[in-house]
Amino acid sequence: MAESSEPPLPRRRPPPSDEDRISHLPDVLLLQILSLLPTKQAVITGILSKRWRPLWPAVSLLDFDDECSPEPRHGDAGFAEFVYSVLLLQDAPTIERFRLRCRSPNSCVGHIPTWLCHVTRRRVEHVELSLSLSRYVALPRQLFNCDTISVMKLNGVYFNVLALFSVRLPLLRVLHVGDRVLFGCHDYVVKLLAGCPMLEDLVLESTYVDACGTDLCFDGNFLLNLNHLSRAKIGFSWKEGCLKSMLLVFQALCNVRCLSLSHNTVECLKDTSASDIPVFDNLIQLEISFGNYSWDLLANLLQRSHKLEVLRIYKEPQKYAKGQEFRWNHPPLVPECLLLHLKTFCFKEYQGMETELDFVGYIMQNARVLEAITIHISISLRSEEKLQIRRHLSILQRNYETCQIVFH
Amino acid sequence: MSDAAMEVMKPEMKSYIWLQTADGSIQQVEEEAAMFCPMICQEVLQTGMGSSKAYAISLPQRVNPAILGLILDYCRFHQVQGRSNKERKTFDEKFIRMDTKKLCELTSAADSLQLKPLVDLTSRALARIIEGKTPEEIRETFHLPDDLTEEEKLEPLRNITDDPRIRLLNRLYARKRKELKERKKLKDVEVEEEPKDERSVEDLLSFINGADGDTKETRANKNKKKNRRRKDHAKDLSQNANENDKELNPLTSAYHNGNFDNASASQHSMMQNLPAVNFSPKFEFIDGDMDDDLDPAMKEELDREVEDFARRLNSDWPERMQILSLGQDRRLVPISMNSSGSTHMYTSFDQR
């Protein structure tokens, strides 16, 4: 406790600079270290010593999190002021990254659009937003019309503003739309993607099915050319009236090397006719997750992915548990990828169903260059069932003389 | 010599590079490991140095033999092609475990050898060390000199991790001690000084003694008198604070002033405008723990809470001290003796 009214004297003055190794590092390195810290902590270093005082304003990577806010009781007001202060004092040539996580955006709601406009004007390259759907934040037009953004990751936001303006993100390479995102209408996905011609990495995880009236849908003609798209992870759920946009998006994925489809998306796609499924010229890795098995879709995908080398199948446990399971039907022609390319096959949540056994058998029989098979048996099964499964699969393995099955 | 012939004769034959550290000592190092460092690689390729003892490559001054050993361990592991990412990560995590002093030296040395992966690794380690620490803790860990003046430390945005409860208690104790000291001092002084004395303590007691009757005027007077007295042993800060009487949002005031040495001024002005607040904020600047730069909103609330205490405890100072030291529930809604005042404060705060 403070005894007197004078500022506390240090007990022992440390020998000048001999012990202090870190301050000897060049500015560039100290800035590198500071940019690895959350902004709040970086700002704190401003009072360490004279050497450190001018450093934090030069850090161009900003990371705000309201959970580590200055004073949780004063909460949001303090946090908003903090962000404003940093944005005002920051004097690096550009703001390279703006990362904002706001779990209770109650008093920041009006400020967040301002902050986003500001950083786009400061030529931001990487924007990450993690907000809460409990408050509506109107994303500004500038966020979707920015020449410098190359990475954008959004979660906990509303996308209905996309109705108001077009999207133009010429440099966007990475787009992650998280699982808590509400599109006003699913066609806004199309609008969004149409504005990102250079997209390389796409994650669309939102599973919220909006109540979008079909009259909102598709009031524009969009061409989706995602020639550079190389990775895609789609978890999206389309509604009946938005099938047109769904197919547009699905067909735009034809250039990817790695594709991951969640069970929601598969459920929407399961009745897609073979002619609507594009040819995946570059697809090397396919991960597909089922609620109920959609074997036809899978068969079509295999037919159209000539170069597939890795196939991973997940059965979502407890999803659509009592639904009707269709049978695996041997396709008329063995897919080319099985004969020539498939090296790795992985099956998770194997439940011992006959139709699963059929499929695994089919793969083993036809995949000529298979190097690794991994089967994860569902943990909810009893041990006798598991043993039974292993026995069946071992028989198959011996019959078809394939590589060793690895069980998990 | 053909490769095959060489293999037959000396299956273990490797080529070595000669390196010289700043202290003059020379050592030879396996070529693959050494060439992993861009700086050494460049020297070898461009100048042909390093092939013999006489032509050893001089390493930058920041690389001493011990650190060089560490760097070469790193290089030896990572230059091997076949390793998996997991293996490399595991190695890195073990490698980076060392005291902070050595870590800093390693960062510096790796930077001078342009070995970016190692610089990134050490920077991340240093960032992990800094993260979550208070300024005092960081200074202690890295032996940083505490060479900023208290004024400079009062700049905004910085002190945002301290627990307000501890600060509140500290401030209360400091204030009480000061009050007691001054009471004692002034008892020895002439009688005519007495009224002033009473008022200083009375500021704290005002609510208990039925300050409903107190007009804002009297309070303003009290404040003025307090201010005058403060000037006697006030620092420069107080002077600044007095000049700025407008109610300014600290943010806008800072913006207008262009620098943040006047942040204290704006904090003061906010205080002045809240009628129920009797404590001159300058009081705070004379306080023991000068690292006390809370943002204005927090200062305001803390002062309010100190009043709450004073208001609620209808007893003499020694007893009050006792109660305070038990560290109570500050969250109770205060009995608003000055209802308009206090609610005014609360609403104005909530609207922020």
Side-chain angles (χ1 to χ4, degrees):
Chain A
M1 261 187 300
E3 272 296 319
S4 64
S5 53
E6 294 102 40
L9 292 166
R11 296 276 143 87
R12 307 158 264 144
R13 288 211 181 274
S17 339
D18 192 41
E19 286 288 308
D20 173 14
R21 293 308 169 108
I22 193 171
S23 301
H24 281 154
L25 296 176
D27 275 4
V28 171
L29 284 188
L30 289 181
L31 286 180
Q32 181 173 342
I33 295 172
L34 289 183
S35 41
L36 294 168
L37 296 170
T39 300
K40 188 195 79 169
Q41 191 71 5
V43 166
I44 281 176
T45 66
I47 56 143
L48 290 178
S49 72
K50 280 188 160 50
R51 169 90 178 88
W52 287 78
R53 190 147 72 120
L55 290 178
W56 75 261
V59 173
S60 58
L61 301 171
L62 300 179
D63 191 335
F64 296 103
D65 188 335
D66 76 338
E67 204 153 84
C68 329
S69 94
E71 182 37 42
R73 271 181 309 155
H74 298 240
D76 318 309
F79 177 68
E81 276 188 19
F82 175 65
V83 176
Y84 273 120
S85 306
V86 171
L87 290 179
L88 277 174
L89 292 174
Q90 202 264 8
D91 64 2
T94 65
I95 293 182
E96 273 178 60
R97 181 188 71 202
F98 180 73
R99 196 187 274 159
L100 175 66
R101 172 180 289 257
C102 208
R103 268 160 264 242
S104 48
N106 298 312
S107 70
C108 297
V109 170
H111 303 299
I112 293 176
T114 314
W115 297 337
L116 292 172
C117 288
H118 175 82
V119 299
T120 54
R121 249 180 299 129
R122 294 285 303 277
R123 314 193 60 74
V124 66
E125 293 169 24
H126 181 138
V127 173
E128 261 184 60
L129 278 185
S130 179
L131 307 178
S132 159
L133 287 176
S134 62
R135 282 284 192 276
Y136 177 71
V137 173
L139 298 177
R141 187 195 64 84
Q142 286 87 332
L143 181 63
F144 295 100
N145 285 274
C146 178
D147 284 340
T148 50
I149 296 183
S150 70
V151 176
M152 189 146 78
K153 300 188 186 178
L154 305 173
N155 205 357
V157 295
Y158 291 84
F159 268 7
N160 52 337
V161 287
L162 290 179
L164 302 172
F165 45 73
S166 57
V167 175
R168 211 188 127 255
L169 293 164
L171 282 190
L172 192 67
R173 288 179 302 105
V174 176
L175 175 63
H176 286 199
V177 175
D179 57 347
R180 292 174 294 118
V181 172
L182 269 175
F183 284 85
C185 165
H186 297 97
D187 287 342
Y188 296 156
V189 185
V190 177
K191 203 174 185 187
L192 182 58
L193 294 178
C196 319
M198 303 298 288
L199 202 58
E200 294 171 14
D201 185 332
L202 173 65
V203 172
L204 262 184
E205 286 184 309
S206 165
T207 56
Y208 290 166
V209 179
D210 297 63
C212 79
T214 46
D215 46 291
L216 274 177
C217 296
F218 225 89
D219 55 349
N221 271 322
F222 293 107
L223 270 179
L224 276 192
N225 264 329
L226 298 175
N227 296 326
H228 301 266
L229 195 62
S230 123
R231 303 182 64 91
K233 182 172 175 199
I234 313 286
F236 210 58
S237 256
W238 276 267
K239 277 174 62 82
E240 283 291 324
C242 308
L243 285 181
K244 205 169 172 190
S245 74
M246 175 185 81
L247 285 180
L248 251 191
V249 172
F250 188 56
Q251 282 158 3
L253 302 176
C254 58
N255 291 314
V256 296
R257 290 169 45 92
C258 295
L259 178 63
S260 175
L261 298 172
S262 84
H263 64 272
N264 310 57
T265 311
V266 168
E267 188 66 26
C268 299
L269 290 171
K270 70 175 189 289
D271 293 324
T272 321
S273 65
S275 51
D276 279 331
I277 296 184
V279 175
F280 289 91
D281 277 327
N282 304 318
L283 192 60
I284 298 201
Q285 179 174 309
L286 174 65
E287 275 179 28
I288 186 164
S289 197
F290 291 112
N292 290 323
Y293 284 116
S294 314
W295 295 118
D296 286 343
L297 176 65
L298 183 55
N300 284 328
L301 283 172
L302 287 176
Q303 287 285 8
R304 280 166 174 64
S305 316
H306 303 296
K307 301 206 188 124
L308 195 66
E309 293 179 18
V310 178
L311 176 65
R312 290 193 227 271
I313 301 198
Y314 299 135
K315 179 86 185 319
E316 289 286 332
Q318 261 75 54
K319 290 269 189 313
Y320 312 97
K322 296 302 167 220
Q324 190 188 1
E325 291 286 4
F326 294 96
R327 293 201 56 86
W328 162 254
N329 298 314
H330 291 338
L333 280 175
V334 177
E336 188 184 329
C337 60
L338 292 186
L339 296 172
L340 298 177
H341 297 283
L342 193 71
K343 296 202 188 75
T344 311
F345 175 57
C346 175
F347 200 126
K348 274 195 181 167
E349 273 303 301
Y350 187 90
Q351 286 167 337
M353 291 193 269
E354 201 183 318
T355 186
E356 290 170 345
L357 194 63
D358 278 345
F359 181 71
V360 174
Y362 183 78
I363 297 286
M364 285 205 252
Q365 180 184 11
N366 293 295
R368 303 280 158 81
V369 294
L370 203 51
E371 289 171 12
I373 308 180
T374 314
I375 311 260
H376 299 245
I377 303 179
S378 171
I379 50 176
S380 57
L381 297 175
R382 299 192 306 272
S383 33
E384 317 92 69
E385 289 173 315
K386 289 188 193 169
L387 213 54
Q388 178 95 318
I389 288 173
R390 280 179 179 241
R391 233 181 283 132
H392 285 317
L393 288 171
S394 306
I395 295 173
L396 273 183
Q397 181 198 312
R398 247 178 291 130
N399 281 349
Y400 294 124
E401 291 167 358
T402 57
C403 58
Q404 189 76 7
I405 301 180
V406 176
F407 290 100
H408 274 279
Chain B
M1 256 194 284
S2 68
D3 280 355
M6 269 174 65
E7 265 178 53
V8 166
M9 282 170 43
K10 285 197 180 188
E12 288 279 323
M13 176 150 165
K14 287 187 212 176
S15 44
Y16 289 87
I17 306 255
W18 295 85
L19 303 171
Q20 180 175 31
T21 44
D23 63 341
S25 62
I26 303 179
Q27 51 181 290
Q28 60 176 4
V29 174
E30 309 86 56
E31 183 177 0
E32 313 115 350
M35 294 289 266
F36 198 69
C37 296
M39 181 251 163
I40 297 177
C41 188
Q42 207 176 6
E43 277 291 305
V44 168
L45 294 177
Q46 285 184 358
T47 66
M49 299 271 283
S51 48
S52 66
K53 197 165 178 182
Y55 293 100
I57 298 176
S58 305
L59 295 179
Q61 200 202 5
R62 293 187 261 164
V63 187
N64 63 49
I67 294 292
L68 180 62
L70 278 175
I71 294 186
L72 290 171
D73 286 340
Y74 181 86
C75 294
R76 265 183 220 112
F77 182 87
H78 280 281
Q79 58 93 12
V80 174
Q81 299 283 7
R83 302 203 198 269
S84 72
N85 282 342
K86 198 171 176 196
E87 283 177 1
R88 290 183 195 269
K89 218 174 158 206
T90 319
F91 173 86
D92 283 349
E93 277 163 26
K94 267 199 240 145
F95 180 78
I96 212 62
R97 285 189 217 149
M98 60 183 78
D99 62 84
T100 51
K101 181 170 162 198
K102 219 189 266 176
L103 200 53
C104 297
E105 287 178 3
L106 185 58
T107 313
S108 187
D111 179 53
S112 64
L113 294 176
Q114 299 161 23
L115 192 51
K116 189 163 188 320
L118 185 54
V119 172
D120 289 345
L121 178 62
T122 48
S123 306
R124 280 199 301 274
L126 286 169
R128 273 200 298 273
I129 294 176
I130 294 177
E131 188 158 354
K133 290 196 164 73
T134 67
E136 292 79 23
E137 288 166 358
I138 301 175
R139 266 193 226 108
E140 189 163 326
T141 311
F142 292 101
H143 305 283
L144 301 178
D146 193 355
D147 59 1
L148 287 172
T149 66
E150 299 311 328
E151 222 176 286
E152 289 166 325
K153 280 190 198 166
L154 282 171
E155 286 172 15
L157 306 184
R158 71 164 191 83
N159 208 350
I160 42 192
T161 48
D162 301 286
D163 183 1
R165 267 173 279 222
I166 300 174
R167 325 206 117 266
L168 176 61
L169 264 178
N170 287 342
R171 286 157 52 125
L172 286 170
Y173 281 128
R175 195 169 294 141
K176 299 316 155 282
R177 255 179 271 112
K178 203 150 289 146
E179 287 302 308
L180 289 171
K181 244 194 273 172
E182 264 150 31
R183 250 164 136 200
K184 255 199 254 154
K185 237 197 288 171
L186 293 166
K187 274 202 181 115
D188 305 329
V189 182
E190 287 168 326
V191 184
E192 56 186 2
E193 293 279 40
E194 277 297 313
K196 251 200 233 168
D197 294 343
E198 289 310 309
R199 246 188 293 276
S200 72
V201 178
E202 241 165 29
D203 283 335
L204 298 165
L205 296 175
S206 62
F207 301 116
I208 301 153
N209 293 340
D212 293 274
D214 272 358
T215 59
K216 289 191 181 170
E217 235 179 78
T218 343
R219 215 167 291 121
N221 284 340
K222 285 186 208 162
N223 276 343
K224 274 197 222 139
K225 289 207 166 103
K226 265 185 94 131
N227 292 348
R228 230 179 290 137
R229 218 162 20 97
R230 289 287 161 268
K231 273 187 183 157
D232 294 339
H233 36 248
K235 297 187 174 177
D236 295 341
L237 297 164
S238 330
Q239 304 285 5
N240 284 341
N242 255 336
E243 279 148 28
N244 195 348
D245 257 352
K246 303 193 201 72
E247 173 171 1
L248 287 174
N249 181 296
L251 202 62
T252 49
S253 78
Y255 181 83
H256 289 309
N257 291 330
N259 60 42
F260 284 79
D261 290 334
N262 285 334
S264 49
S266 50
Q267 291 168 16
H268 173 79
S269 62
M270 276 187 68
M271 303 303 208
Q272 293 287 47
N273 280 296
L274 305 165
V277 177
N278 283 318
F279 306 124
S280 159
K282 289 194 294 283
F283 210 164
E284 271 58 287
F285 299 159
I286 310 174
D287 244 6
D289 36 343
M290 286 296 284
D291 279 348
D292 206 1
D293 57 333
L294 311 153
D295 69 11
M298 209 163 75
K299 265 216 162 80
E300 181 196 324
E301 164 130 341
L302 284 166
D303 280 332
R304 216 188 314 135
E305 293 190 343
V306 172
E307 285 169 62
D308 292 351
F309 269 118
R311 221 183 291 142
R312 266 183 285 132
L313 302 173
N314 266 317
S315 51
D316 281 331
W317 273 123
E319 277 177 58
R320 200 172 295 130
M321 285 288 285
Q322 211 172 6
I323 294 172
L324 286 174
S325 68
L326 295 176
Q328 291 339 268
D329 41 338
R330 291 169 205 84
R331 310 233 184 266
L332 291 181
V333 176
I335 317 155
S336 52
M337 43 84 300
N338 187 4
S339 44
S340 57
S342 58
T343 42
H344 166 69
M345 270 205 304
Y346 278 112
T347 19
S348 69
F349 177 75
D350 285 335
Q351 275 161 8
R352 293 177 105 243

